[in-house]
Protein backbone atom coordinates (compact mmCIF):
# COMPACT_ATOMS: atom_id res chain seq x y z
CA UNK A 1 0.00 0.00 0.00
CA UNK A 2 1.37 3.42 -0.89
CA UNK A 3 1.27 6.12 1.79
CA UNK A 4 -1.42 8.06 -0.13
CA UNK A 5 -3.77 5.05 -0.33
CA UNK A 6 -3.83 4.83 3.46
CA UNK A 7 -4.96 8.44 3.91
CA UNK A 8 -8.61 9.32 4.31
CA UNK A 9 -9.84 10.58 0.95
CA UNK A 10 -11.83 13.80 0.81
CA UNK A 11 -13.92 15.51 -1.86
CA UNK A 12 -14.45 19.23 -1.28
CA UNK A 13 -17.47 21.11 -2.63
CA UNK A 14 -17.08 24.84 -3.28
CA UNK A 15 -19.09 27.66 -4.82
CA UNK A 16 -16.69 30.57 -4.74
CA UNK A 17 -13.36 31.80 -3.40
CA UNK A 18 -12.37 28.53 -1.75
CA UNK A 19 -10.26 29.93 1.09
CA UNK A 20 -11.39 27.03 3.29
CA UNK A 21 -10.41 24.65 0.51
CA UNK A 22 -7.02 26.37 0.46
CA UNK A 23 -6.67 25.78 4.20
CA UNK A 24 -7.32 22.07 3.61
CA UNK A 25 -4.85 21.99 0.71
CA UNK A 26 -2.20 23.67 2.88
CA UNK A 27 -2.89 21.14 5.65
CA UNK A 28 -2.31 18.24 3.26
CA UNK A 29 1.01 19.82 2.25
CA UNK A 30 1.93 19.83 5.95
CA UNK A 31 1.33 16.16 6.64
CA UNK A 32 -2.38 16.10 7.47
CA UNK A 33 -3.85 12.56 7.69
CA UNK A 34 -6.10 13.11 4.67
CA UNK A 35 -5.78 13.74 0.95
CA UNK A 36 -8.08 15.74 -1.31
CA UNK A 37 -9.13 13.50 -4.18
CA UNK A 38 -11.31 16.04 -6.01
CA UNK A 39 -12.96 19.45 -5.90
CA UNK A 40 -16.45 20.01 -7.29
CA UNK A 41 -18.09 23.40 -7.82
CA UNK A 42 -21.69 24.22 -8.70
CA UNK A 43 -20.42 27.34 -10.42
CA UNK A 44 -17.88 27.47 -13.27
CA UNK A 45 -14.79 29.66 -13.23
CA UNK A 46 -14.63 30.32 -9.50
CA UNK A 47 -11.36 30.89 -7.62
CA UNK A 48 -11.83 27.65 -5.69
CA UNK A 49 -11.42 25.67 -8.92
CA UNK A 50 -8.19 27.54 -9.69
CA UNK A 51 -6.85 26.72 -6.23
CA UNK A 52 -7.52 23.02 -6.84
CA UNK A 53 -5.89 23.07 -10.26
CA UNK A 54 -2.83 24.84 -8.88
CA UNK A 55 -2.58 22.03 -6.32
CA UNK A 56 -2.97 19.36 -9.07
CA UNK A 57 -6.33 18.26 -7.66
CA UNK A 58 -8.91 17.09 -10.22
CA UNK A 59 -11.94 19.36 -10.54
CA UNK A 60 -15.50 18.99 -11.80
CA UNK A 61 -18.21 21.59 -12.38
CA UNK A 62 -21.82 20.54 -11.89
CA UNK A 63 -23.51 23.78 -12.90
CA UNK A 64 -26.83 24.04 -11.10
CA UNK A 65 -28.21 26.44 -13.75
CA UNK A 66 -28.13 23.54 -16.21
CA UNK A 67 -30.61 21.41 -14.24
CA UNK A 68 -34.40 21.73 -14.24
CA UNK A 69 -34.77 21.09 -10.52
CA UNK A 70 -32.95 20.51 -7.24
CA UNK A 71 -33.35 16.73 -7.32
CA UNK A 72 -31.71 16.32 -10.74
CA UNK A 73 -28.85 18.63 -9.76
CA UNK A 74 -28.31 16.69 -6.53
CA UNK A 75 -28.35 13.37 -8.43
CA UNK A 76 -25.65 14.62 -10.83
CA UNK A 77 -23.63 16.01 -7.93
CA UNK A 78 -23.86 12.71 -6.05
CA UNK A 79 -22.67 10.85 -9.14
CA UNK A 80 -19.70 13.21 -9.52
CA UNK A 81 -18.82 12.68 -5.85
CA UNK A 82 -19.09 8.89 -6.07
CA UNK A 83 -16.73 8.90 -9.06
CA UNK A 84 -13.98 9.98 -6.63
CA UNK A 85 -14.96 7.25 -4.09
CA UNK A 86 -14.26 9.55 -1.10
CA UNK A 87 -14.38 8.63 2.58
CA UNK A 88 -15.53 12.17 3.44
CA UNK A 89 -17.29 15.05 1.69
CA UNK A 90 -16.58 18.59 2.95
CA UNK A 91 -18.80 21.54 2.05
CA UNK A 92 -16.43 24.51 2.13
CA UNK A 93 -18.18 27.68 1.07
CA UNK A 94 -20.72 25.57 -0.82
CA UNK A 95 -23.84 27.64 -1.26
CA UNK A 96 -26.56 25.12 -2.16
CA UNK A 97 -29.41 23.71 -0.12
CA UNK A 98 -29.31 19.92 -0.48
CA UNK A 99 -32.23 17.52 -0.72
CA UNK A 100 -32.98 14.91 1.93
CA UNK A 101 -32.13 12.12 -0.55
CA UNK A 102 -28.68 13.60 -1.15
CA UNK A 103 -28.00 14.12 2.55
CA UNK A 104 -29.18 10.58 3.37
CA UNK A 105 -26.82 9.17 0.75
CA UNK A 106 -23.79 10.67 2.49
CA UNK A 107 -25.08 10.73 6.06
CA UNK A 108 -22.30 10.57 8.63
CA UNK A 109 -19.56 11.40 6.16
CA UNK A 110 -20.41 14.95 5.11
CA UNK A 111 -19.24 18.05 7.00
CA UNK A 112 -20.05 21.73 6.56
CA UNK A 113 -18.41 24.86 7.92
CA UNK A 114 -20.72 27.74 8.74
CA UNK A 115 -19.69 31.26 9.80
CA UNK A 116 -21.64 31.50 13.05
CA UNK A 117 -21.84 29.91 16.49
CA UNK A 118 -24.66 27.50 15.62
CA UNK A 119 -27.48 27.17 16.36
CA UNK A 120 -27.34 30.97 16.21
CA UNK A 121 -27.61 32.60 12.79
CA UNK A 122 -28.29 29.71 10.45
CA UNK A 123 -28.51 30.85 6.82
CA UNK A 124 -26.88 33.87 5.19
CA UNK A 125 -25.41 37.25 6.22
CA UNK A 126 -24.34 35.88 9.60
CA UNK A 127 -21.82 38.64 10.41
CA UNK A 128 -24.29 41.44 9.74
CA UNK A 129 -26.96 39.68 11.81
CA UNK A 130 -24.54 39.10 14.70
CA UNK A 131 -23.63 42.81 14.70
CA UNK A 132 -27.29 43.86 14.47
CA UNK A 133 -28.08 41.57 17.40
CA UNK A 134 -25.33 43.20 19.44
CA UNK A 135 -23.50 39.92 19.96
CA UNK A 136 -20.29 40.19 22.00
CA UNK A 137 -19.04 36.89 20.57
CA UNK A 138 -19.29 35.38 17.10
CA UNK A 139 -17.42 32.65 15.25
CA UNK A 140 -17.63 29.53 13.11
CA UNK A 141 -19.00 26.01 13.47
CA UNK A 142 -18.25 22.70 11.77
CA UNK A 143 -21.16 20.26 11.77
CA UNK A 144 -22.34 17.03 10.22
CA UNK A 145 -24.71 17.82 7.37
CA UNK A 146 -28.36 16.91 7.72
CA UNK A 147 -31.28 18.09 5.58
CA UNK A 148 -31.89 21.02 7.96
CA UNK A 149 -30.00 24.02 6.55
CA UNK A 150 -26.93 24.60 8.78
CA UNK A 151 -28.76 22.49 11.32
CA UNK A 152 -26.77 19.29 11.69
CA UNK A 153 -25.11 18.20 14.96
CA UNK A 154 -22.26 20.61 15.70
CA UNK A 155 -18.81 19.08 16.18
CA UNK A 156 -16.61 22.06 17.00
CA UNK A 157 -16.63 25.83 17.16
CA UNK A 158 -14.09 28.67 17.06
CA UNK A 159 -14.96 31.99 18.68
CA UNK A 160 -13.99 35.61 18.06
CA UNK A 161 -14.77 38.60 20.25
CA UNK A 162 -16.90 41.23 18.52
CA UNK A 163 -15.01 44.52 18.72
CA UNK A 164 -16.70 47.86 19.39
CA UNK A 165 -15.90 49.26 15.94
CA UNK A 166 -16.35 46.06 13.97
CA UNK A 167 -17.92 46.28 10.54
CA UNK A 168 -19.41 43.30 8.72
CA UNK A 169 -16.20 42.92 6.73
CA UNK A 170 -13.75 43.35 9.62
CA UNK A 171 -15.67 40.72 11.60
CA UNK A 172 -15.85 38.41 8.57
CA UNK A 173 -12.07 38.57 8.14
CA UNK A 174 -11.44 37.46 11.72
CA UNK A 175 -14.06 34.69 11.56
CA UNK A 176 -12.61 33.41 8.28
CA UNK A 177 -9.14 33.22 9.84
CA UNK A 178 -10.58 31.03 12.61
CA UNK A 179 -12.42 28.91 10.03
CA UNK A 180 -9.11 28.17 8.34
CA UNK A 181 -7.76 26.77 11.62
CA UNK A 182 -10.95 24.93 12.59
CA UNK A 183 -11.84 23.05 9.42
CA UNK A 184 -8.53 21.20 8.84
CA UNK A 185 -8.49 20.25 12.53
CA UNK A 186 -11.97 18.67 12.38
CA UNK A 187 -11.28 16.93 9.06
CA UNK A 188 -8.12 15.55 10.68
CA UNK A 189 -10.19 14.18 13.59
CA UNK A 190 -12.51 12.46 11.12
CA UNK A 191 -9.49 11.07 9.25
CA UNK A 192 -8.18 9.75 12.54
CA UNK A 193 -11.40 7.83 13.14
CA UNK A 194 -12.22 10.00 16.17
CA UNK A 195 -15.59 11.32 14.89
CA UNK A 196 -18.92 9.65 14.20
CA UNK A 197 -22.54 10.66 13.72
CA UNK A 198 -24.84 8.23 15.53
CA UNK A 199 -28.49 8.73 16.51
CA UNK A 200 -28.18 12.32 15.32
CA UNK A 201 -25.44 13.00 17.87
CA UNK A 202 -21.73 13.63 17.46
CA UNK A 203 -19.50 10.95 19.01
CA UNK A 204 -15.90 11.98 19.66
CA UNK A 205 -13.39 9.38 20.88
CA UNK A 206 -16.30 7.11 21.77
CA UNK A 207 -18.20 9.68 23.83
CA UNK A 208 -21.41 11.44 22.79
CA UNK A 209 -20.74 15.19 22.77
CA UNK A 210 -22.96 17.20 25.12
CA UNK A 211 -21.72 20.48 23.63
CA UNK A 212 -19.52 21.33 20.64
CA UNK A 213 -15.77 21.15 21.16
CA UNK A 214 -14.43 24.69 21.60
CA UNK A 215 -11.23 25.29 19.60
C1 LIG B 1 -17.01 31.13 4.58
O1 LIG B 1 -17.35 32.03 5.62
C2 LIG B 1 -17.78 29.84 4.80
O2 LIG B 1 -17.98 29.54 6.18
C3 LIG B 1 -19.07 30.12 4.13
O3 LIG B 1 -18.66 30.74 2.92
C4 LIG B 1 -17.56 31.62 3.23
C5 LIG B 1 -16.55 31.62 2.09
O4 LIG B 1 -15.87 30.42 2.17
N1 LIG B 1 -19.85 28.94 3.91
P1 LIG B 1 -14.64 30.10 1.14
O5 LIG B 1 -13.71 31.27 1.20
O6 LIG B 1 -15.26 29.95 -0.24
O7 LIG B 1 -14.03 28.84 1.68
Amino acid sequence: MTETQQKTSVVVLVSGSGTNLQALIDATANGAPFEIRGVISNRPGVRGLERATTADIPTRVIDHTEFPDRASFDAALAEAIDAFTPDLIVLAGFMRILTQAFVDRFAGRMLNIHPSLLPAFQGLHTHRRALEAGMREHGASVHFVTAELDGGPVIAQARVAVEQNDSESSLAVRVLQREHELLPKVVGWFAGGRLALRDERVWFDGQALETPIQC
Side-chain angles (χ1 to χ4, degrees), residues 4-11 33-35 37 81-82 84-90 106-111 144 190-191:
T4 303
Q5 281 167 327
Q6 285 153 357
K7 289 199 172 186
T8 293
S9 57
V10 180
V11 164
F34 55 87
E35 48 118 7
R37 205 169 266 174
I81 289 169
D82 285 344
F84 288 112
T85 63
D87 300 311
L88 176 68
I89 296 99
V90 177
F106 300 108
R109 58 189 185 103
M110 187 154 58
L111 303 178
F144 278 109
F190 187 94

Side-chain angles (χ1 to χ4, degrees), residues 89-91 98 102-104 106-113 143-148 150-153 155 197:
I89 296 99
V90 177
L91 311 184
L98 297 163
F102 182 93
V103 169
D104 290 348
F106 300 108
R109 58 189 185 103
M110 187 154 58
L111 303 178
N112 181 48
I113 185 159
H143 61 93
F144 278 109
V145 175
T146 63
E148 186 192 351
D150 303 324
I155 299 163
L197 173 64

Side-chain angles (χ1 to χ4, degrees), residues 5-213:
Q5 281 167 327
Q6 285 153 357
K7 289 199 172 186
T8 293
S9 57
V10 180
V11 164
V12 183
L13 306 189
V14 299
S15 298
S17 55
T19 65
N20 277 290
L21 165 66
Q22 190 62 57
L24 293 172
I25 292 171
D26 296 347
T28 59
N30 292 307
F34 55 87
E35 48 118 7
I36 302 169
R37 205 169 266 174
V39 171
I40 303 173
S41 174
N42 63 301
R43 294 174 55 224
V46 295
R47 180 88 178 81
L49 292 168
E50 294 167 13
R51 294 179 192 275
T53 302
T54 302
D56 294 326
I57 299 168
T59 60
R60 290 288 311 281
V61 174
I62 307 294
D63 184 341
H64 65 275
T65 64
E66 293 174 357
F67 293 83
D69 55 43
R70 200 171 286 283
S72 57
F73 167 77
D74 280 13
L77 180 60
E79 214 174 294
I81 289 169
D82 285 344
F84 288 112
T85 63
D87 300 311
L88 176 68
I89 296 99
V90 177
L91 311 184
F94 187 66
M95 309 305 275
R96 290 281 302 173
I97 295 174
L98 297 163
T99 58
Q100 182 72 53
F102 182 93
V103 169
D104 290 348
R105 185 166 173 163
F106 300 108
R109 58 189 185 103
M110 187 154 58
L111 303 178
N112 181 48
I113 185 159
H114 179 74
S116 80
L117 296 175
L118 292 171
F121 309 118
Q122 294 171 331
L124 299 174
H125 310 303
T126 62
H127 311 304
R128 183 194 318 162
R129 291 159 59 200
L131 289 170
E132 285 168 354
M135 303 304 288
R136 298 175 57 77
E137 263 198 334
H138 187 39
S141 305
V142 176
H143 61 93
F144 278 109
V145 175
T146 63
E148 186 192 351
L149 175 67
D150 303 324
V154 181
I155 299 163
Q157 295 182 316
R159 290 167 186 268
V160 301
V162 178
E163 308 295 347
Q164 196 66 36
N165 57 352
D166 257 327
S167 64
E168 188 177 348
S169 57
S170 65
L171 184 55
V173 164
R174 288 206 312 285
V175 171
L176 202 54
Q177 284 165 347
R178 301 285 275 127
E179 291 184 42
H180 298 160
E181 299 160 8
L182 183 64
L183 186 58
K185 185 179 287 190
V186 176
V187 173
W189 292 343
F190 187 94
R194 304 181 67 181
L195 275 180
L197 173 64
R198 256 201 315 276
D199 309 325
E200 297 185 354
R201 296 192 67 181
V202 177
W203 292 71
F204 183 71
D205 288 345
Q207 301 285 326
L209 283 189
E210 295 301 328
T211 57
I213 297 166

